[in-house]
Amino acid sequence: MQELVHFIGGKRVAGASGRYCDGYEPMSGATISRVPLASQAEVAAAVESAERAQPVWAAVSPQRRVRVLMKFLDLLQGESEVLANLLAREHGKTVGDARGDIQRGLEVVEFAIGAPHFLKGGFSDSSGPGIDVYAMRQPLGVMAGVTPFNFPAMIPMWMFAPAIACGDAFVLKPSERDASVPLRLAELMVEAGLPAGVLNVVNGDKEAVDALLDHAAVKALSFVGSTAVAEYVYARGAANGKRMQCFGGAKNHMIIMPDADLDQVVEALIGAAYGAAGERCMAISVAVPVGEVVARALVHRLVPRVKTLKIGASTDPEAEFGPLVTRAHLEKVTAYVDLGVSEGAELLVDGRGFHLPGFESGFYMGGCLFDGVTRRMRIYREEIFGPVLLVIRAADYSEALALVDDHEYGNGVAIFTRDGGVARDFVSRVQVGMVGVNVPIPTPVASYSFGGWKRSFFGDLGQHGPDAMRFCTKTKIVTSRWPREGGEGASFVIPTTR
Ligand code: NAD
């Protein structure tokens, strides 16, 4: 069995806390690794290594800094097949989907290569007599990131690439459930020329996260995970004076208007609901057909499609999705399906107890489809994070919109329609951060910022795009004058431009 490590000061460092958790291969159910859980002292060592490296890194010109990211892109592309297989093995998603996980991370690295443009600041000549004013963007110092299990390549890259491009040093605490890829990413950054200590990885659980939240040298922390933890992390970090951005859970609706192209809807819905076994924060978990005619037609088409979903091992190129991440998560999702039945929803397709021949101990679950869901049911109000799609019917467009707006989560939403007027109204009024029009998973491209609303997000600046550059820097405004001989006398009133 493999024993994972930390990555501190440019070197692999064995865990010293004596605490470990098991790492699994979801497709077979085997225990394949021991993951060290860092103590407060180990986290402090990583932060101090970052603290030492950061001033030297910040003094490197922005253009030279991003050359390291360019080299990293090359190295990562060269190794991407190996990493996609490793990622799929630890996470359970298919290798094809794991390639996408890496690619979406790479796209933010490409975006971060443009950091010198964002770091330019501004200059105003002669804002007063002989006075020039200029703005500088400076790095924060040491930043930290805490990431979830479901995108072990993409989300770490979303966090560390902009920070490093901006001249910050970074301590990453990846999910303990699939930590091998984040560790390798950090090593590749050093192979690409990043000075030791600028990027560190500590593996761990709540103890490590708390240590980051309480360490005075950590100036900002980015978190992605479930809402309860996001809210806790946000409150504790903010109370300690840190800049925080915490992304939480989701319940993403797809509204299907009566004029939508149903063939397109069914395919979009199937992929968005069941891809990665529903373990995506942008997965569609609620379908909202508007009107009885479209509801009946939609359900009629969905049932055979969900019954014949191809579930397979992560390495099976034919598989549409693979196993869930752990047995504990499989049990949690199964319990939600039990709950839906007891709450009175109609289980049209039951994926509980699915077994894949040859992989009997894997963490598999078949696709589940519920109809007759109501807004009061817990299966509707809470995030399930598995291959479970709910159908909740709306009588008209206003009812569908109200459903989305009343939900406590506001990460992503989609509307399928041919009517430009309805789509425009929806886009403008809906209380959700990322909106798709005939696009089921509207995850923004790297040059725009990513972030939900309501209880899907605590903070104000999103991931990547222009927000990332603001999150990773602080602005300094300089007002400057070079006095001539025999300057003016003292002034006791506030300077103005009059
Ligand atoms: P999680 O909340 O269990 O864990 C996330 C991270 O927090 C991990 O690194 C974990 O070690 C740490 N952690 C767990 N419990 C903690 C505690 N009590 N105190 C401090 N740290 C703790 O989430 P997960 O199961 O890894 O990921 C799935 C969740 O992430 C889902 O809710 C999903 O919607 C969400 N997610 C959100 C986004 C987004 O952008 N909004 C993106 C991806 C995933």
Side-chain angles (χ1 to χ4, degrees):
M1 196 187 315
Q2 199 199 352
E3 184 158 322
L4 267 54
V5 291
H6 308 299
F7 188 74
I8 300 175
K11 288 198 281 289
R12 294 172 157 241
V13 178
S17 70
R19 291 197 310 124
Y20 293 88
C21 70
D22 288 335
Y24 305 104
E25 180 183 67
M27 70 178 158
S28 66
T31 304
I32 54 170
S33 61
R34 284 210 319 162
V35 184
L37 302 174
S39 63
Q40 211 179 345
E42 288 169 297
V43 171
V47 174
E48 280 146 29
S49 151
E51 232 184 329
R52 280 191 299 277
Q54 192 272 333
V56 182
W57 180 239
V60 173
S61 77
Q63 205 59 48
R64 283 171 181 253
R65 288 201 299 257
V66 298
R67 274 185 207 136
V68 171
L69 293 180
M70 292 182 206
K71 179 74 181 156
F72 170 75
L73 278 182
D74 266 2
L75 296 178
L76 185 51
Q77 270 151 350
E79 208 171 302
S80 63
E81 267 314 287
V82 176
L83 285 178
N85 278 279
L86 179 59
L87 195 161
R89 184 175 186 222
E90 286 190 349
H91 176 286
K93 64 176 76 175
T94 62
V95 173
D97 198 28
R99 288 187 193 113
D101 190 329
I102 295 168
Q103 178 60 29
R104 288 301 295 233
L106 272 177
E107 289 169 13
V108 171
V109 179
E110 288 168 347
F111 169 74
I113 287 169
H117 168 70
F118 284 96
L119 296 174
K120 279 187 310 203
F123 182 86
S124 296
D125 173 40
S126 298
S127 292
I131 293 177
D132 303 324
V133 179
Y134 56 98
M136 299 161 75
R137 286 206 165 273
Q138 296 192 318
L140 301 179
V142 177
M143 296 182 64
V146 177
T147 55
F149 79 83
N150 68 326
F151 281 100
M154 178 184 87
I155 297 179
M157 282 191 264
W158 280 12
M159 292 181 184
F160 73 65
I164 287 171
C166 289
D168 294 301
F170 203 86
V171 179
L172 173 70
K173 203 304 283 173
S175 171
E176 59 276 41
R177 289 182 243 173
D178 42 19
S180 293
V181 169
L183 276 167
R184 184 64 193 138
L185 293 177
E187 279 183 343
L188 284 175
M189 284 288 284
V190 170
E191 285 171 30
L194 189 72
V198 178
L199 177 59
N200 305 275
V201 181
V202 281
N203 284 304
D205 56 4
K206 180 173 171 23
E207 183 172 334
V209 177
D210 286 347
L212 287 170
L213 290 169
D214 293 345
H215 200 299
V218 174
K219 300 299 176 202
L221 187 140
S222 178
F223 171 91
V224 180
S226 54
T227 285
V229 183
E231 192 168 25
Y232 159 76
V233 166
Y234 182 80
R236 186 158 173 166
N240 285 335
K242 301 186 195 313
R243 182 180 290 180
M244 300 295 293
Q245 56 171 195
C246 297
F247 302 83
K251 199 81 174 177
N252 305 318
H253 298 63
M254 182 196 279
I255 308 239
I256 300 122
M257 294 302 292
D259 65 349
D261 177 336
L262 262 199
D263 291 333
Q264 199 194 11
V265 165
V266 170
E267 289 313 302
L269 192 47
I270 288 285
Y274 298 100
E279 293 171 327
R280 290 182 183 141
C281 71
M282 290 295 277
I284 296 286
S285 46
V286 185
V288 189
V290 174
E292 269 311 299
V293 175
V294 70
R296 275 198 297 274
L298 178 72
V299 168
H300 180 74
R301 289 184 195 212
L302 278 177
V303 170
R305 190 71 179 84
V306 179
K307 280 187 175 156
T308 54
L309 280 167
K310 176 121 183 39
I311 296 137
S314 312
T315 44
D316 177 355
E318 304 286 303
E320 290 172 320
F321 66 88
L324 298 185
V325 66
T326 56
R327 180 162 301 286
H329 190 57
L330 171 63
E331 284 165 4
K332 181 178 161 192
V333 175
T334 305
Y336 266 115
V337 179
D338 299 344
L339 174 70
V341 173
S342 68
E343 285 182 307
E346 196 184 346
L347 186 57
L348 298 180
V349 185
D350 185 358
R352 290 173 295 180
F354 177 90
H355 289 291
L356 186 68
F359 294 87
E360 281 74 11
S361 302
F363 312 139
Y364 297 94
M365 178 168 195
C368 297
L369 178 67
F370 274 111
D371 195 4
V373 176
T374 66
R375 54 161 72 209
R376 275 201 291 279
M377 291 178 181
R378 273 183 54 204
I379 55 163
Y380 175 66
R381 296 202 316 270
E382 298 172 18
E383 181 183 49
I384 299 176
F385 221 57
V388 183
L389 176 64
L390 317 182
V391 178
I392 180 162
R393 296 161 185 234
D396 54 26
Y397 166 68
S398 305
E399 194 179 313
L401 178 63
L403 208 52
V404 178
D405 287 351
D406 293 347
H407 206 285
E408 68 169 327
Y409 293 123
N411 212 41
V413 71
I415 187 165
F416 274 65
T417 180
R418 289 186 170 103
D419 185 329
V422 169
R424 194 169 186 282
D425 182 80
F426 183 75
V427 165
S428 131
R429 286 165 64 194
V430 72
Q431 297 299 302
V432 171
M434 293 173 282
V435 184
V437 177
N438 299 317
V439 171
I441 304 185
T443 306
V445 294
S447 50
Y448 286 82
S449 296
F450 174 107
W453 286 8
K454 298 188 277 186
R455 289 178 61 73
S456 293
F457 180 48
F458 304 88
D460 56 354
L461 293 171
Q463 298 273 5
H464 59 74
D467 280 8
M469 299 297 162
R470 292 188 195 107
F471 188 71
C472 298
T473 56
K474 56 195 172 197
T475 314
K476 185 179 278 174
I477 311 295
V478 181
T479 304
S480 139
R481 175 167 59 184
W482 296 96
R484 297 210 187 99
E485 292 285 305
E488 296 147 26
S491 168
F492 295 92
V493 293
I494 182 90
T496 71
T497 53
R498 289 197 71 189

